[in-house]
Amino acid sequence: MWTALALVPAAAIAFALRVNADAADEIKRLAALMEWKPGTIVADIGAGDGRYSFAAAAHVGAGGRVFATEIDGQKIAELRAEVRKRNLQNVIVVESKEADTNLGVSCCDAIFLRRVYHHLTKPAEFDAGLVRSLKPGGRLAIIDFPPRSGLEPVEGVPSNRGGYGIPEKIVIEELTAAGLQVEKVVNDWADKSYCVLFVKK
């Protein structure tokens, strides 16, 4: 019994290290795709526990900035606490809304949504905010997955999602309607996801 209990913390630590390494690898690939440089200003929309924001912050360096946005009050409090704990001067936590990122106008060189877009209940309004916050020439990456059978869609999302997830085609239709242009589509992203890269002309 004692041995089994002793192994739990080690297993938990190993899992956390692997998850953070996976996030760093994915951010490295995303940074190359979106052409981040030291000093790039990035937004992570729906940052969750912040692991992708923190990996992005390491990538853009002290001269860059990462806006970590969240809609959930508890997650926002936890993100802010973690930013303080890590003493990250280049991560800014932003409370977003259902239909708006709450980011400034033309504040970002790059914005990414990782497995977040299929949660949007007001995509047209949210997309307008994403476009507004990108600088001219800025890039937006949507990482998401096709609808999965047997799972109900997120409550309140448009009926065209086709289940839990979102078709790549719908992502492209909605964001080109918002005024962005497709730059690249990557269909072999991690965890059976796709990545659509858009640019603001």
Side-chain angles (χ1 to χ4, degrees):
M1 175 67 78
W2 181 86
T3 305
L5 287 173
L7 290 174
V8 172
I13 290 167
F15 176 76
L17 289 172
R18 184 179 62 77
V19 165
N20 287 329
D22 289 347
D25 286 345
E26 193 169 341
I27 284 296
K28 183 177 179 183
R29 186 179 186 191
L30 186 64
L33 182 69
M34 300 184 83
E35 298 180 9
W36 299 356
K37 299 173 178 65
T40 295
I41 300 173
V42 177
D44 176 7
I45 307 298
D49 63 10
R51 71 180 65 133
Y52 292 89
S53 297
F54 304 148
H59 207 91
V60 301
R65 194 174 310 141
V66 176
F67 294 105
T69 82
E70 251 305 331
I71 197 169
D72 180 272
Q74 180 65 31
K75 288 181 180 176
I76 290 164
E78 290 168 359
L79 271 171
R80 287 183 172 144
E82 190 64 24
V83 168
R84 284 193 299 272
K85 179 181 169 186
R86 294 176 183 232
N87 193 28
L88 294 172
Q89 304 298 316
N90 62 344
V91 177
I92 299 163
V93 179
V94 178
E95 184 174 0
S96 61
K97 297 178 181 174
E98 182 184 10
D100 194 1
T101 62
N102 270 350
L103 294 172
V105 175
S106 299
C107 64
C108 294
D109 301 301
I111 298 174
F112 69 93
L113 285 76
R114 185 187 179 278
R115 297 182 158 214
V116 169
Y117 198 86
H118 69 271
H119 286 272
L120 300 182
T121 55
K122 297 180 183 284
E125 295 92 330
F126 206 90
D127 291 351
L130 292 171
V131 174
R132 184 180 67 243
S133 295
L134 276 175
K135 297 177 182 179
R139 292 182 169 95
L140 169 73
I142 303 294
I143 298 165
D144 225 308
F145 51 86
R148 294 179 174 171
S149 60
L151 296 171
E152 291 296 316
V154 177
E155 186 178 348
V157 301
S159 60
N160 64 352
R161 275 32 187 168
Y164 187 78
I166 185 166
E168 183 184 292
K169 176 175 177 284
I170 300 294
V171 169
I172 291 171
E173 285 174 359
E174 292 182 355
L175 283 156
T176 53
L180 299 178
Q181 293 183 17
V182 176
E183 190 169 52
K184 190 168 187 178
V185 177
V186 181
N187 284 312
D188 64 343
W189 207 260
D191 299 324
K192 299 180 181 177
S193 298
Y194 57 80
C195 177
V196 184
L197 183 65
F198 298 88
V199 63
K200 179 178 178 178
K201 294 296 188 183

